[in-house]
């Protein structure tokens, strides 16, 4: 299939299979070997590139799980293209000056991630670089380098790439928008329509096509589907890329509820939640990495039904409703009811997640993720709590967990046991016996069943302690 | 002089712009084939049937090779000839290569490899220390024992005895660049191999054997590795040999790189250990006798396990004088990947054992562990302080076992009889306690812990004394080749490999200093078995010591010839010829170096020389456990402060203060990088990095999604690193000290700080195992609360 984008400032067209990754294409077809493969699953950041789109500007993404059609109409900068007219990017120079490279293999990815953070004017360097692993330096010199360039001028391409996307509009869109607003998937003018891959522009187009191709795979950010290809080596069959469905990317903040389109990326959800539910935003700070959050979608995190997806527990605690669509038919259900069993969701063939909504109400939500490493790790336990207190007693409780069952799951017995109790460490202990009614977790490489149960219980204690204003997080202790 | 300057890594500019080439970046000839192993899915048993028809039929497949298809039995072991490239039908671990797919692309090879239909007759795998002991599954006939004195008698009379066990997990190297090799067939059957390897000579040797060629027909080149850490000392043999045999079979260039999951599943790791101990002590915490039983989980083949386990024994004392000591070491053969070299090479595990003993004893006697540590230190160096060079007559004879016999209670003698000549940890500890503000922080931590019951803080100082030299004495040699061209440029080559540690730059600084040249005049060239033969692995922290010396000798040889020629021409003494600032001064005359080089060439002076160095004064009997295995010791100490969440066991390093001894540093910027990086890598080993094998012996943590090395936010928020400024007493290159491995063990302070924080939760002793994941920390909190 045809994809057209800017590569280091130069328009390029490719004709590839839809699941060709940017990383493989750069290295094998373009000879651009500066971008490295470290893990091939989006966890190490060695393949980080900077991708600019019209709406959001420059962001860091993992090229190893980025399929070429996702780049259509965007601008890509690899490590070879970060400098300006032969002068190195400030991040490149700072990494030399601060001795930020040793073996050098992770360095191009770090430099690209730093360049994106610099373009975004970020100063949360450890977070911005949480998706880049270095085994040599212990990070200290890299963080010094990132700090050192905060005020350095931005290279011309930061604005230039964005502007060039408009300049080259016809190059990107000429052949594919002949039908006016209802764009067709990008393809060469002479090629026949390619049923194996579509890039719908609206959810209506998606609904129609998916109802007719119920065996297809929908690809949001490809941070999970990417691994089906790079690790499971699956041939996906028909695919639809959702990143051009503008109406799936909308966030509506209404008087009574907030509605988030399925294709909204998690970095946008994080920004939204910072205002309404800061604890959720803090969870999302630790969700994946900057690269992953810029690609991964909320709908994808829900629809794949993982028992350890981090967004369902807080959404369930917030009383979220899931909106599904099949063709012209829409239905809604409480999010917790969507998850039926391990790997099985209440979703018919050809039906897709359109949005998730939750009621607006005062923030009581606390959500905690417990894992071996703070950043970019999969939860052993992710617990979300929303407890309402009236007259000193718990009047309403919604509690949901990831990592405790075959699906994200509500702690209904615990919720019931809490009603009428004071929100104190002693009061919530009244629910101690109820935990085993709700959960029988498994032991795996992340944690044992006993640990999971203990931590779940203790997180409720933490909620009570937090309510009393006690220090409960090692992240808040300063040296 | 360019030595001692904080110059950047030689390839820093190329690292940051993406032009530094690794094996997979080398442009390959058209027709290059790509390889992938098909691997065993069971840990132990026999292959009863292997249908490779679907593999052969897969798109892009050119050939599929099994052990039977190889013209010669290809072995990839670095030691005991016990690692067939492809299984002979017996399966020893889940992940063992069974067959080799040769295809037109990397992806096609990977896809095809999964199509094999393999049936097995499975045996129960041996996976634990107890299972291995019960089955008598071990390398060597029985445990190795080093020690001195009468431990049983001393334990029997000791006022108190601390007894316990610590489990120490393994560690995946997680070099960012996975294993890779490329073989290019040459005329006459010769082979050129590009490998990501710390040991090009061994690759040459194994490839030559597999092809039935003399070593001269195989040339191995290594420009750089994207990280090694010991994981590319022997574990790259399989890929290089596979590429060579496939290139021979097909007549086409062959490349192989492991996908990250394959890399985890196929290659060995740092040895997991269980260490059991009994330590007799007095009421102050003075150690009277210590007995260790070290159980090393070696995996399925011998690889480097014997010297690794030896080094664990040789570091069971760390910085402490143990009057009566017995160290029993079991090298257990299990159905895991074959565990291998990893930065520290057994030393870290041995050191964790004794640090655990000190922590335990301090807890029992109710003293700050740092006081108990200091109480047990070796005797501080005498005669002129730490910076005084070792005098001629102070140099101990290699057979220091005589000292052991004469003065068994000498507080300078190690359990293996080597005298610790230059012990400086007393003074280093004192300075670090001061610069880290230890006493005040100790008080603040106590105050915090008294006021907070959810978050507890902990503080610990641990020392490092690490022996420098290969314990296999013959490996302590190195060669170099230096050319001066007629335009005054210098090319240098040596047997060491560059894996990020900055060896190439340090060695270039040495050469530039000899010739008085700026760094840009010196070109560092890829390690090449055709230029310098019979090299040792770049390992044991020895790279700069050995190769720096060899390069200096070669450079001095050429400089000497130039000086003699120019001196004669100007009728001055050769000693009056000076090389500095890019010029050669001959009496009153001064030449640009290039002019001088050209004049020498015109005068028919050879401007090429080899250099050869072997470490003096070492000798070691590993069977007896006696001698002088180490030329010298490198020292360091770290103070770590941590915070622990008693509800979840989550924890974080708040601050680290390090004082490290790099001798007279060849390059303080590169050495600082080793120190900071080593500390974080050591901390990762002992905290977040957990390898989990399931009951069937399958590694469940085989990618960065499940195996967690430290990320940027795991580095301490306050991270102070300082050098102990003192020349090495031993006559090393510019009196520097090796710095590759020792800083890793500074990370032990994190484990001990966690122990300190957990101990604040209750009266019991934490007995914290490693890695101290949140789960293990929470379990330890339960333990101390239970009493």
């Amino acid at each position: 299939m045809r994809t057209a984008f800017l590569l280091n400032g130069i328009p390029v067209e490719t004709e590839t299979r839809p699941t060709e990754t940017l990383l493989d294409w750069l290295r094998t077809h373009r000879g651009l070997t500066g971008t490295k493969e470290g893990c091939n699953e989006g966890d190490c950041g060695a393949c980080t590139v900077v991708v600019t789109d019209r709406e959001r500007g420059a962001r860091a993404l993992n090229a190893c799980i980025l399929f070429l059609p996702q780049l259509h109409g965007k601008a890509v900068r690899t490590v070879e293209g970060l400098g300006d007219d032969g002068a190195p990017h400030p991040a490149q120079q700072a990494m030399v000056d601060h001795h930020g490279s040793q073996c050098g293999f992770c360095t191009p990815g770090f430099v690209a991630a730093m360049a994106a953070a610099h373009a975004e004017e970020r100063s949360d360097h450890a977070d911005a670089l949480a998706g880049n692993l270095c085994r040599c330096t212990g990070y200290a010199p890299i963080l010094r380098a990132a700090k050192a360039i905060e005020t350095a001028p931005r290279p011309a391409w930061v604005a230039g790439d964005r502007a060039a996307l408009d300049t080259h509009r016809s190059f990107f869109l000429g052949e594919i928008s002949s039908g006016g607003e209802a764009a067709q998937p990008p393809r060469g003018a002479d090629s026949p329509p390619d049923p194996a891959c579509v890039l719908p522009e609206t959810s209506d187009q998606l609904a129609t096509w998916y109802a007719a191709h119920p065996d297809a795979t929908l690809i949001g950010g490809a941070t999970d589907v990417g691994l089906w290809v790079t690790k499971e080596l699956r041939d996906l069959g028909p695919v639809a890329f959702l990143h051009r469905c503008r109406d799936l990317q909308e966030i509506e903040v209404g008087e009574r509820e907030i509605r988030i389109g399925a294709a909204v990326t998690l970095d946008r959800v994080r920004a939204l939640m910072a205002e309404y539910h800061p604890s959720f935003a803090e969870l999302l700070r630790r969700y994946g990495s900057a690269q992953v959050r810029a690609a991964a979608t909320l709908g994808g995190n829900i629809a794949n039904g993982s028992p350890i997806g981090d967004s369902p527990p807080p959404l369930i605690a917030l009383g979220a409703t899931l909106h599904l669509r099949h063709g012209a038919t829409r239905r809604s259900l409480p999010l917790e009811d969507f998850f039926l069993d391990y790997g099985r969701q209440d979703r018919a063939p050809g039906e897709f997640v359109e949005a998730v909504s939750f009621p607006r109400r005062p923030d009581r939500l606390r959500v905690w993720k417990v894992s071996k490493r703070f950043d970019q790790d999969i939860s052993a336990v992710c617990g979300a709590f929303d407890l309402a207190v009236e007259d000193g007693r718990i009047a309403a409780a919604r509690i949901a967990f990831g990592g405790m069952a075959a699906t994200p799951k509500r702690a209904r017995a615990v919720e019931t046991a809490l009603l009428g109790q004071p929100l104190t460490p002693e009061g919530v202990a009244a629910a101690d016996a109820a935990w085993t009614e709700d959960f029988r977790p498994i032991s795996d490489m992340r944690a044992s069943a006993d640990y999971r149960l203990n931590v779940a219980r203790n997180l409720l204690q933490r909620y009570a302690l937090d309510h009393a204003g006690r220090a409960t997080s090692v992240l808040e202790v300063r040296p | 002089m360019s030595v001692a300057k904080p110059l950047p890594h030689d390839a820093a500019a190329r690292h940051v712009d993406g032009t530094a080439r690794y094996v997979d970046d080398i442009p390959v000839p058209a027709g290059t084939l790509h390889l992938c192993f098909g691997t065993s899915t069971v840990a132990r048993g026999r292959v009863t049937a292997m249908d490779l028809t679907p593999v052969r039929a897969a798109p892009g497949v050119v050939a599929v090779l099994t052990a039977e298809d190889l013209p010669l039995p290809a072995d990839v072991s670095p030691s005991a000839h016990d690692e067939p490239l492809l299984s002979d039908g017996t399966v020893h671990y889940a992940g063992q290569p069974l067959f080799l797919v040769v295809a037109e692309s990397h992806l096609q090879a990977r896809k095809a490899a999964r199509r094999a239909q393999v049936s097995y007759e499975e045996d129960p795998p041996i996976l634990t220390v107890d299972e291995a002991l019960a089955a008598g599954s071990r390398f060597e006939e029985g445990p190795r024992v080093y020690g001195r004195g009468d431990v049983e008698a001393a334990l029997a009379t000791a006022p108190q005895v601390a007894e316990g066990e610590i489990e120490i997990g393994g560690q995946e190297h997680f070099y960012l660049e996975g294993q890779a090799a490329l073989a290019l067939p040459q005329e006459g059957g010769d082979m050129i191999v590009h490998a990501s390897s710390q040991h090009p000579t061994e690759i040459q040797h194994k490839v030559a054997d597999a092809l039935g060629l003399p070593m001269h027909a195989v040339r191995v080149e290594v420009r750089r590795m994207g990280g090694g850490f010991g994981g590319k000392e022997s574990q790259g043999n399989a890929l290089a040999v596979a590429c060579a045999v496939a290139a021979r079979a097909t007549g086409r260039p062959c490349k192989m790189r492991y996908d990250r999951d394959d890399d985890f599943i196929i290659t060995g790791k740092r040895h997991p250990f269980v260490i059991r101990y009994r330590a007799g002590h007095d009421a102050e915490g003075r150690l009277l006798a210590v007995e260790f039983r070290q159980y090393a989980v070696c995996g399925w083949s011998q690889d480097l396990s014997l010297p690794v386990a030896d080094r664990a024994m040789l570091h069971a004392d760390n910085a402490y004088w143990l009057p009566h000591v017995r160290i029993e070491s079991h090298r257990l053969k299990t159905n895991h990947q074959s565990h291998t070299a990893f930065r520290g090479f057994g030393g870290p595990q041995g050191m964790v054992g004794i640090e655990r003993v000190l922590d335990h004893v301090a807890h029992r006697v109710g003293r700050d562990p740092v006081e108990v540590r200091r109480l047990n230190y070796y005797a501080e160096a005498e005669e002129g302080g730490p910076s005084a060079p070792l005098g001629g007559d102070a140099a101990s004879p290699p057979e220091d076992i005589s000292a052991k016999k004469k003065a068994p209670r000498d507080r300078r003698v190690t359990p293996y009889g080597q005298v610790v000549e230059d012990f400086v940890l007393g003074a280093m500890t004192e300075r670090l306690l001061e610069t880290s503000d230890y006493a005040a922080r100790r008080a603040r931590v106590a105050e915090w812990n008294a006021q907070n019951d959810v978050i507890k803080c902990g503080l610990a100082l641990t020392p490092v004394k690490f022996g420098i030299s290969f314990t296999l004495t013959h490996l302590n040699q190195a060669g170099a080749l230096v050319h001066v061209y007629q335009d005054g440029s210098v090319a240098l080559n040596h047997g060491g490999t560059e894996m990020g540690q900055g060896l190439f730059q340090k060695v270039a600084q040495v050469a530039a200093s000899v010739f008085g040249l700026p760094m840009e005049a010196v070109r560092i060239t890829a390690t090449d078995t055709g230029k310098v033969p019979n090299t040792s692995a770049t390992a044991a922290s020895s790279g700069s010591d050995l190769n720096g010396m060899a390069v200096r000798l070669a450079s001095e040889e050429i400089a000497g010839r130039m000086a003699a020629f120019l001196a004669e021409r100007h009728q001055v003494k050769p000693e009056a010829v000076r090389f500095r600032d890019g010029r050669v001064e001959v009496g009153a005359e001064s030449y640009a170096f290039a002019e001088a080089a050209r004049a020498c060439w015109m005068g028919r002076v050879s401007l090429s020389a080899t250099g050869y160095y072997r470490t003096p004064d070492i000798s070691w009997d590993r069977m007896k456990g006696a001698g002088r295995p180490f030329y010298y010791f490198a020292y360091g100490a770290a103070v770590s402060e941590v915070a622990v969440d008693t509800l979840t066991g989550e924890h974080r390093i708040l601050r680290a203060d390090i004082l490290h001894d790099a001798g007279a540093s060849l390059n303080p910027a590169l050495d600082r990088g080793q120190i900071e990086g080593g500390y974080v890598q050591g901390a990762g080993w002992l905290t977040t990095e957990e390898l989990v094998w399931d009951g069937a012996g399958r590694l469940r943590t085989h990618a960065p999604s499940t195996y967690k090395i430290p990320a940027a936010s795991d580095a301490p928020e306050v991270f102070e690193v300082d050098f102990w400024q003192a020349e090495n007493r031993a006559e090393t290159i510019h009196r520097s000290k090796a710095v590759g491995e020792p800083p890793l063990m500074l990370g032990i302070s994190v484990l001990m700080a966690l122990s300190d924080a957990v101990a604040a939760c209750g009266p019991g002793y934490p007995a914290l195992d490693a890695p101290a994941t949140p789960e293990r920390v929470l379990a330890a909190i339960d333990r101390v609360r239970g009493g």
Side-chain angles (χ1 to χ4, degrees), chain B residues 389-435:
Chain B
L390 195 62
D393 58 2
S396 43
E399 292 78 21
D400 264 329
I401 34 177
S402 55
K404 175 168 113 180
K405 281 177 195 150
K406 281 179 201 156
R409 300 191 64 77
D410 181 341
R411 288 189 65 98
R412 299 191 307 157
V413 183
T414 64
Y416 46 92
Q418 176 163 356
V419 176
V420 186
E421 303 277 359
D422 60 349
F423 193 81
V424 289
L425 276 166
M428 288 180 73
T429 300
E430 202 160 318
R431 184 183 309 162
L432 182 61
L433 289 173
E434 205 177 290
T435 56

Side-chain angles (χ1 to χ4, degrees), chain A residues 17 24 27 33-41 43-44 46 79-80 91-93 95-96 99 101-108 111 125-127 129-130 132-141 143-144 229-235 286 369-378 444-451 454-455 458-459 461-462 465 470-479, chain B residues 6-9 12-13 15-18 20 22 24-25 106-107 110-111 114 171-177 224-227 229 257 259-261 342 448 452-455 457 499-500 643-652 654-655 669 672-674 676-678 680-681 688-690 692 700-701 703-715 717-719 773-775 778 782:
Chain A
R17 66 198 158 78
D24 283 349
R27 293 183 57 83
T33 54
T35 307
K36 307 300 184 196
E37 178 181 314
C39 69
N40 209 16
E41 62 172 25
D43 274 309
C44 80
V79 66
E80 292 90 349
Q92 291 172 315
Q93 189 58 49
M95 284 287 275
V96 175
H99 308 281
S101 73
Q102 287 185 24
C103 85
F105 198 83
C106 70
T107 311
V111 167
H125 304 301
D127 285 339
L129 299 175
N132 293 79
L133 297 179
C134 168
R135 193 50 150 166
C136 297
T137 64
Y139 302 99
L143 293 168
R144 284 178 211 128
V229 174
T230 64
K231 292 295 174 178
E232 295 174 26
L233 306 180
R234 275 155 66 174
D235 292 317
R286 292 174 51 199
K369 172 184 174 72
V370 178
S371 50
K372 289 180 195 169
R373 188 174 72 194
F374 282 106
D375 286 335
Q376 210 206 7
D377 198 355
I378 295 167
D444 66 8
M445 67 285 209
R446 279 183 270 277
S448 70
D450 284 350
Y451 177 75
N454 277 337
V455 164
N458 287 350
L459 289 181
Q461 288 286 320
R462 188 192 272 183
L465 290 162
R470 304 265 296 278
T472 58
S473 170
V474 294
L475 296 177
E476 289 160 19
V477 184
R478 295 272 81 85
Chain B
L7 301 177
H9 190 280
H15 291 156
V16 300
D17 71 6
Y22 303 80
D24 195 38
D25 304 335
H106 176 68
L107 187 59
R110 288 178 64 211
K111 283 188 168 178
R114 298 198 189 179
Q171 186 177 26
E172 160 65 30
H173 303 82
F174 207 84
Y175 26 67
L176 262 287
E177 178 211 25
R224 64 171 60 79
M225 283 160 272
F229 315 112
R257 63 180 171 93
D259 180 76
R260 180 61 64 178
D261 292 70
F342 196 142
W448 171 281
N452 291 273
D453 51 1
V454 178
I455 306 296
C457 290
M499 60 193 105
V644 169
D645 180 347
T646 58
L647 293 174
T648 59
E650 292 165 290
H651 52 78
R652 193 162 79 87
L654 300 174
R655 172 172 168 179
R672 175 180 293 267
Q674 291 301 298
E676 291 172 341
V680 170
Q681 196 175 74
T688 57
E689 298 185 34
E690 186 177 34
V692 181
R700 306 309 299 181
T701 49
S705 51
T706 44
Y707 182 79
K708 311 312 284 189
I709 71 166
S713 67
D714 296 310
E717 199 170 313
V718 178
F719 200 173
T773 56
E775 176 159 1
L778 195 62
D782 281 350

Side-chain angles (χ1 to χ4, degrees), chain A residues 83-252:
Chain A
D84 253 348
D85 288 332
H89 188 281
Q92 291 172 315
Q93 189 58 49
M95 284 287 275
V96 175
D97 295 344
H98 291 268
H99 308 281
S101 73
Q102 287 185 24
C103 85
F105 198 83
C106 70
T107 311
F110 266 99
V111 167
M114 289 163 75
H118 180 248
E120 294 178 88
E121 304 188 23
R122 294 177 67 162
S123 57
D124 54 339
H125 304 301
D127 285 339
L129 299 175
N132 293 79
L133 297 179
C134 168
R135 193 50 150 166
C136 297
T137 64
Y139 302 99
I142 297 173
L143 293 168
R144 284 178 211 128
K147 178 95 187 133
I149 63 165
E150 279 178 0
T151 56
R154 266 146 268 287
W157 61 258
V158 172
D161 273 4
R162 209 163 173 175
L165 293 177
D166 285 325
T167 317
H168 293 282
R169 214 177 177 105
S170 60
F171 171 69
F172 301 132
L173 300 177
E175 305 86 1
I176 65 167
S177 56
S178 51
E181 288 298 309
Q184 297 301 307
R187 56 175 183 264
D190 303 329
S191 345
D194 182 359
C197 175
V198 295
L199 285 82
E201 300 269 325
T202 66
S203 54
D204 289 343
Q205 289 177 8
L206 171 64
T208 306
W209 183 86
Y210 194 31
H213 299 85
D215 59 333
T217 300
L218 306 189
I219 302 177
T223 55
D224 191 30
V225 175
L227 276 68
W228 303 359
V229 174
T230 64
K231 292 295 174 178
E232 295 174 26
L233 306 180
R234 275 155 66 174
D235 292 317
L236 295 183
V239 293
F241 288 93
L242 309 188
H243 60 280
R244 295 174 72 87
C245 276
R246 301 298 299 273
D247 57 340
L248 288 182
Q249 295 175 41
E250 283 168 10
I251 295 172
E252 297 164 43

